[in-house]
Amino acid sequence: MRKNNMSLAVLDQSEKMDALETKSDVSIIGLGFVGLTTAAAFAKLGMKVIGLDVDSDKVSKISKRVAPFHEPQLEELLLDSEKNFSVSSKIELAGRSRIIFLTVGTPSRSDGSMETRFLIDAARNVGSAIKSSTDYPLVVVKSTVVPGTLLKVVIPEIEDASGMTYGTDFGACSNPEFLREGSAVYDTLNPDRLIIGGTKKDSAILLSFYKRLFGKKMPKTILTSPSNAELVKYSNNAFLAMKISFINQIARICESLPNADVQIVAEGIGLDKRIGRSFLSAGLGFGGSCFPKDVKALQHFSKSLGYDAPIVEATMKVNHDQPLRAVQIAEEKLNGLEGKKVAILGLAFKPDTDDMREAVSVKIIEELLQKGAIVSAHDPKALKTASLVLDDKVQLVSDKKDCLRGSDCALLVTEWDEYKTMKPEFFRDLMRSPVLIDGRRLYDPTQFAKVLDYSAIGLDRGASKTTC
Ligand code: UDX
């Protein structure tokens, strides 16, 4: 880690206002995972970027090049991009850029539909910011939005707030982002495709921006309508989520089938080039800020068109039940959970992040507590974020040993690297009864079953003890 002894320009400070005389190539509104990573990556690749967010605490942190969340390599990227990247909470500064990216959140409403509030606020702010611009500014929506949002929500709001006309005074494109948390920096610097939805004129402006940005490393690009671009993103996430639910369903079949192991089945089908091995890791289900929200939004959107989209619905149903499978196995193994001490390894929704949004650990812990278990939990990075969402009955510990010591059952929920090297004897020596449920297929069943009472998602109970 490099030393963090400089700071980004915070353009709110009057002494830095001179910097505004220089126009930015791009403004990025909304400095969450997508916005901040995109802003820093564009700046590293040579663009003058201003990152804008209404949250002044977040802006202040970023100005000191401290990432407001845990993401590998992000702080290094903030250091690397320092000379091209400034931040502010004054959204009106967007008016000084030719291209303005919107990367604000589109969370779920309680009925599963997409919340447009933040997007509308951002669009209106942009409208006010570009009011006096004669440069034909281009507004680019990177947020994940249901088809029709650019044309029916964003553009009308900008027109209303600016008094300008779309297509004549300003342009607009849909350009979804596909980065994954945990590898956001790599994904942003090395995208496998660009999807651009807009008119020929607007798409050409954005295309030329990306050609400048990526040069010879320009990824494959599809130029299409805004609705297609918007639907690509939802279909992409729903398809990957479907692959996970599919393999989790096969896992359930394997658990009742002599000598079956879902990992071998996944290897087998993954070798078919038409299917591929990725996103076929059976486990406790998908979580995070994207898949659950986007699959629900697609389901809701499809219903609004009069079609129920049964595969999308089934994807969510399987995912709803999957985390509880771990609790069922624990209950069977321990003959009930009342008063039993259960150790949870891993809380974040996936490794290399401290993000607890829709983390399956929360659902599992709630169920365990409801059944009377005493729960202790460990995570290498997410203890702080977890403390904000978990019942205070859960004992959160920073040492794995303290988590496992005296427990009746351990449940591996998130496959952090540091758990991979744990030997079965480590569990056995600390636990009261050495029952391990491997929710992410991290361990070798043959080795672990010799020492522990080992069960795993997608593994026949007898399989670890039998040679085929
Ligand atoms: C996802 C998409 O991958 C990304 O393209 C999009 O832009 C945002 O949503 P992310 O949520 O960061 O990214 O994580 P991802 O790696 O896709 O994992 C999502 C969830 O699926 C995690 O809970 C993970 O544990 C789970 N998962 C993933 C599985 O259970 N099995 C798998 O084989 C893969």
Side-chain angles (χ1 to χ4, degrees):
M1 178 79 83
R2 278 159 51 185
K3 212 170 162 220
N4 192 349
N5 57 1
M6 291 183 288
S7 63
L8 286 171
V10 192
L11 294 180
D12 286 4
Q13 292 167 10
S14 51
E15 67 270 21
K16 305 273 186 191
M17 290 303 271
D18 287 354
L20 293 178
E21 297 310 317
T22 336
K23 280 196 161 195
S24 311
D25 296 308
V26 297
S27 291
I28 299 196
I29 301 181
L31 299 176
F33 269 100
V34 172
L36 181 55
T37 316
T38 305
F42 285 0
K44 181 185 160 71
L45 295 175
M47 296 294 158
K48 286 263 177 245
V49 179
I50 176 160
L52 301 163
D53 198 294
V54 287
D55 180 345
S56 48
D57 288 345
K58 194 189 268 184
V59 165
S60 157
K61 262 194 177 164
I62 298 168
S63 73
K64 295 177 191 114
R65 279 174 293 161
V66 174
F69 42 80
H70 173 74
E71 180 62 35
Q73 294 169 29
L74 183 56
E75 288 190 347
E76 285 86 340
L77 188 68
L78 289 174
L79 284 161
D80 274 352
S81 57
E82 193 258 346
K83 71 175 175 5
N84 284 335
F85 182 25
S86 39
V87 279
S88 175
S89 54
K90 293 188 171 172
I91 311 294
E92 64 268 26
L93 296 179
R96 295 173 182 258
S97 309
R98 175 87 197 279
I99 304 183
I100 302 159
F101 287 90
L102 301 189
T103 51
V104 293
T106 49
S108 288
R109 294 192 184 115
S110 55
D111 64 355
S113 63
M114 179 189 80
E115 176 59 81
T116 48
R117 205 155 32 106
F118 306 112
L119 196 62
I120 289 175
D121 284 352
R124 296 201 68 82
N125 285 334
V126 168
S128 310
I130 62 173
K131 226 176 209 162
S132 51
S133 173
T134 50
D135 273 356
Y136 193 79
L138 182 72
V139 182
V140 182
V141 175
K142 266 203 174 295
S143 309
T144 301
V145 294
V146 295
T149 304
L150 183 81
L151 296 178
K152 290 190 197 146
V153 178
V154 176
I155 291 171
E157 294 292 348
I158 297 173
E159 285 185 321
D160 189 52
S162 65
M164 294 161 92
T165 306
Y166 162 62
T168 310
D169 304 320
F170 73 95
C173 280
S174 163
N175 172 220
E177 173 54 54
F178 299 93
L179 63 82
R180 294 160 298 174
E181 288 183 28
S183 44
V185 171
Y186 177 86
D187 289 352
T188 312
L189 292 170
N190 305 278
D192 48 17
R193 71 321 256 293
L194 293 172
I195 309 290
I196 297 177
T199 60
K200 263 193 182 156
K201 177 180 168 182
D202 295 348
S203 300
I205 299 171
L206 192 55
L207 187 65
S208 105
F209 165 78
Y210 277 123
K211 282 186 174 160
R212 240 179 351 122
L213 189 77
F214 289 118
K216 288 196 177 102
K217 283 177 73 189
M218 182 69 183
K220 283 189 179 153
T221 303
I222 290 183
L223 302 182
T224 183
S225 66
S227 290
N228 276 341
E230 291 163 333
L231 190 54
V232 166
K233 176 63 194 268
Y234 273 103
S235 310
N236 207 96
N237 276 357
F239 189 85
L240 292 172
M242 177 192 71
K243 274 185 100 175
I244 299 169
S245 280
F246 177 83
I247 203 67
N248 284 339
Q249 222 173 44
I250 301 297
R252 293 294 288 270
I253 295 171
C254 288
E255 285 163 26
S256 310
L257 191 66
N259 295 322
D261 182 349
V262 72
Q263 284 197 299
I264 313 288
V265 179
E267 287 305 325
I269 60 177
L271 286 173
D272 185 326
K273 290 192 182 68
R274 295 167 300 177
I275 298 174
R277 175 64 176 84
S278 65
F279 281 74
L280 285 180
S281 296
L284 296 172
F286 56 79
S289 64
C290 295
F291 282 179
K293 136 183 120 62
D294 293 348
V295 179
K296 272 189 261 170
L298 180 60
Q299 196 180 345
H300 191 277
F301 177 69
S302 179
K303 272 198 168 74
S304 76
L305 301 177
Y307 179 59
D308 276 349
I311 296 180
V312 178
E313 204 151 332
T315 297
M316 284 313 288
K317 163 85 179 92
V318 172
N319 201 58
H320 174 271
D321 298 344
Q322 191 63 10
L324 305 179
R325 179 71 190 130
V327 182
Q328 256 175 16
I329 300 175
E331 208 169 6
E332 282 164 31
K333 287 278 172 193
L334 302 178
N335 285 322
L337 289 164
E338 187 65 46
K340 303 285 169 51
K341 191 180 168 206
V342 180
I344 301 288
L345 292 176
L347 293 164
F349 90 90
K350 69 176 206 178
D352 293 325
T353 178
D354 59 357
D355 198 340
M356 287 294 295
R357 284 176 288 178
E358 300 279 337
V360 296
S361 61
V362 177
K363 215 166 168 182
I364 291 169
I365 288 171
E366 278 169 1
E367 185 79 358
L368 287 168
L369 290 174
Q370 216 238 321
K371 289 182 181 282
I374 301 155
V375 180
S376 62
H378 172 269
D379 190 283
K381 293 279 180 221
L383 288 181
K384 201 168 153 209
T385 44
S387 69
L388 305 174
V389 292
L390 287 175
D391 190 308
D392 55 13
K393 279 190 215 141
V394 182
Q395 199 197 350
L396 297 175
V397 290
S398 55
D399 185 338
K400 306 189 274 287
K401 284 187 181 165
D402 292 335
C403 183
L404 290 170
R405 193 169 287 117
S407 60
D408 298 296
C409 171
L411 222 163
L412 191 291
V413 177
T414 313
E415 65 276 33
W416 284 94
D417 271 349
E418 72 168 74
Y419 298 150
K420 284 185 188 157
T421 49
M422 286 160 72
K423 300 272 180 281
E425 293 76 12
F426 181 81
F427 287 88
R428 185 198 57 198
D429 295 348
L430 288 162
M431 296 174 71
R432 184 160 61 189
S433 78
V435 174
L436 171 62
I437 301 165
D438 183 351
R440 296 288 177 186
R441 299 307 307 266
L442 207 57
Y443 302 118
D444 174 358
T446 327
Q447 291 304 316
F448 272 63
K450 279 183 195 152
V451 181
L452 303 171
D453 182 346
Y454 176 84
S455 315
I457 290 295
L459 184 72
D460 163 42
R461 296 298 169 73
S464 53
K465 291 176 186 136
T466 320
T467 39
C468 314

